[in-house]
């Protein structure tokens, strides 16, 4: 159907298996603008600050994954993203969110010890 290449980390892309399909997620500028609005953040610094605590609601994770899916070219709503099955469950979802935020904000402040 679509072009299924591999994720390009230098472009901020993350690869994830969702609903049995390999998908590319990316927090593009448009996706970040969408998240600014969703989280009522005045700018990217405030948005990054909100996520830097590491504490996150499930609804926050859904918004980030949904925005990442759309940024990666998947025409999927947040509700559809919330209903998708991910191998590894919530831990895998948290890893996807962490990788997306790290790729978007360059957040390598030692918050994720297992970064190859």
């Amino acid at each position: 159907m679509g072009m299924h290449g591999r994720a390009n980390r230098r472009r901020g892309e993350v690869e994830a298996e969702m609903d049995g399909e390999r998908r590319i997620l990316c927090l593009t500028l448009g996706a970040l603008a969408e998240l600014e609005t969703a989280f009522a953040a005045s700018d990217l610094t405030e948005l990054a600050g909100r996520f830097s605590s590491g504490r996150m609601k499930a609804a926050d994770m859904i918004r980030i994954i949904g925005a990442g899916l759309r940024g990666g070219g998947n025409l999927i709503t947040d509700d559809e993203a919330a209903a998708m099955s991910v191998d590894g469950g919530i831990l895998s979802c948290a890893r996807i969110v962490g990788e997306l935020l790290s790729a978007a904000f360059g957040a390598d402040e030692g918050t994720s010890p297992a970064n190859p």
Side-chain angles (χ1 to χ4, degrees), residues 27-28 39 92 96 103 106:
L27 290 181
T28 59
F39 291 112
S92 289
I96 293 165

Side-chain angles (χ1 to χ4, degrees), residues 52-90:
S52 66
S53 72
R55 296 182 61 174
M56 201 169 291
K57 295 191 264 182
D60 296 346
M61 292 172 64
I62 290 165
R63 282 182 172 145
I64 294 164
I65 288 174
L69 282 164
R70 289 185 290 280
N74 302 275
L75 299 177
I76 287 172
T77 66
D78 284 354
D79 286 345
E80 290 168 332
M84 292 178 124
S85 65
V86 178
D87 270 1
I90 190 69

Side-chain angles (χ1 to χ4, degrees), residues 78-115:
D78 284 354
D79 286 345
E80 290 168 332
M84 292 178 124
S85 65
V86 178
D87 270 1
I90 190 69
L91 290 178
S92 289
C93 289
R95 179 191 54 77
I96 293 165
V97 167
E99 287 182 16
L100 276 170
L101 294 175
S102 168
F105 294 109
D108 277 336
E109 295 124 22
T111 49
S112 46
N115 245 354

